[in-house]
Amino acid sequence: MIKKTLYFGNPCYLSQKDMQLKIQIPSNEENKADKVSSIPIEDIGIVILDNPQITITQTVMSSLLENNSTIITCATNHLPAGMMLPLSGNTIQTERFTAQIKASIPLKKQLWKQTVTCKIENQAAVLEQEKKSAANMRVWAEQVTSGDTKNLEARAAIYYWKNVFRQYPDFIRSREGIFPNNFLNYGYSILRAIAARSLVGSGLLPTLGIHHHNRYNAYCLADDIMEPYRPFVDSLVLGILQDEPGSELLTPLLKKRFLGIPVIDVMVDKEESPLMIAMQRTTSSLAKCFAGEQRTIIYPSYS
């Protein structure tokens, strides 16, 4: 079953009763009485808290984490500022931690090669969908070596970002950059939460990456495995720009579209699958790679 992503952008009180998340929205000028609704805790995958007047009980947080849900808190700029994950998400967690920690450098380099290759192929597919040339991207994807020693990921990124948002000639991909970077940042934050949640569910440490290793980054592995998934978010942003020309602010209506990221249809092993399920397959296959049970990570293809 696909877990639900819940977004709270208005003042509310979140409590629990009979393993149900009880949502109480206080009365206002339009609604003279409090609005109360509920949803089973077991159906929730991600909760996004984006208002300083949200109250959430300790019981709710504990139950969400026990259910392998992710809680995201947003800053005053409405972008995710923090993420809470369960400490124990798999019955054989210690065994998988050990295998992950002992993974050899050659194995990590091979896994990174697979990751970069898939990312470039998916970026090329997005460009082709937008009727832009991507023949060079296809060639670069075939030339990626173990550990990406030729840094083809960066070369592909330069070409990709120069062309994918060509309608914005001053656009440079940067977290602090101009529009539509704010849309990309928001989408990637949700994608990162999905990746981190899936890693924990597969008994892996999101901190220990196969390539990313910033000492200040607590989610290096999540940042690694989400790379081939980024083009799906890029495509979503392109769709928003086409449907809502001139809209540069992350309005509540646009945020609702980003909440659909977990259920975006992707192709995995020539079969259609929701993105969240595909991510679970990716992290499960990665755990098997660390354990020596297989050599290939299962990633989605953009088509």
Side-chain angles (χ1 to χ4, degrees), residues 125-143:
V126 171
L127 289 178
E128 290 166 351
Q129 177 180 271
E130 296 299 308
K131 311 300 182 184
K132 295 167 184 173
S133 175
N136 54 338
M137 299 276 286
R138 296 293 185 184
V139 173
W140 291 336
E142 294 178 355
Q143 294 178 344

Side-chain angles (χ1 to χ4, degrees), residues 130-275:
E130 296 299 308
K131 311 300 182 184
K132 295 167 184 173
S133 175
N136 54 338
M137 299 276 286
R138 296 293 185 184
V139 173
W140 291 336
E142 294 178 355
Q143 294 178 344
V144 178
T145 58
S146 176
D148 189 25
T149 55
K150 297 179 181 179
N151 205 16
L152 290 174
E153 181 197 18
R155 188 186 305 180
I158 292 172
Y159 180 83
Y160 176 74
W161 291 119
K162 183 178 180 180
N163 289 276
V164 72
F165 293 118
R166 195 178 292 173
Q167 66 269 43
Y168 301 98
D170 296 329
F171 174 80
I172 297 176
R173 173 57 195 149
S174 170
R175 184 170 179 80
E176 305 299 330
I178 62 172
F179 177 83
N181 276 294
N182 57 332
F183 283 20
L184 293 168
N185 293 342
Y186 195 78
Y188 291 157
S189 295
I190 294 176
L191 182 62
R192 193 187 199 206
I194 296 170
R197 176 185 178 275
S198 295
L199 286 167
V200 171
S202 295
L204 298 175
L205 281 165
T207 302
L208 301 181
I210 56 177
H211 176 76
H212 289 90
H213 56 270
N214 188 320
R215 65 188 296 186
Y216 304 109
N217 183 359
Y219 301 101
C220 289
L221 188 57
D223 289 341
D224 284 334
I225 62 139
M226 68 181 271
E227 293 291 357
Y229 287 86
R230 287 179 183 266
F232 295 98
V233 175
D234 303 341
S235 180
L236 175 63
V237 172
L238 286 167
I240 291 174
L241 297 180
Q242 182 177 353
D243 297 340
E244 306 286 342
S247 179
E248 298 188 2
L249 297 177
L250 272 168
T251 64
L253 287 177
L254 290 182
K255 287 181 178 180
K256 286 184 179 179
R257 293 189 63 171
F258 283 104
L259 296 185
I261 290 175
V263 295
I264 291 176
D265 287 328
V266 302
M267 296 299 295
V268 181
D269 287 342
K270 300 181 180 179
E271 293 183 359
E272 202 169 76
S273 170
L275 186 145

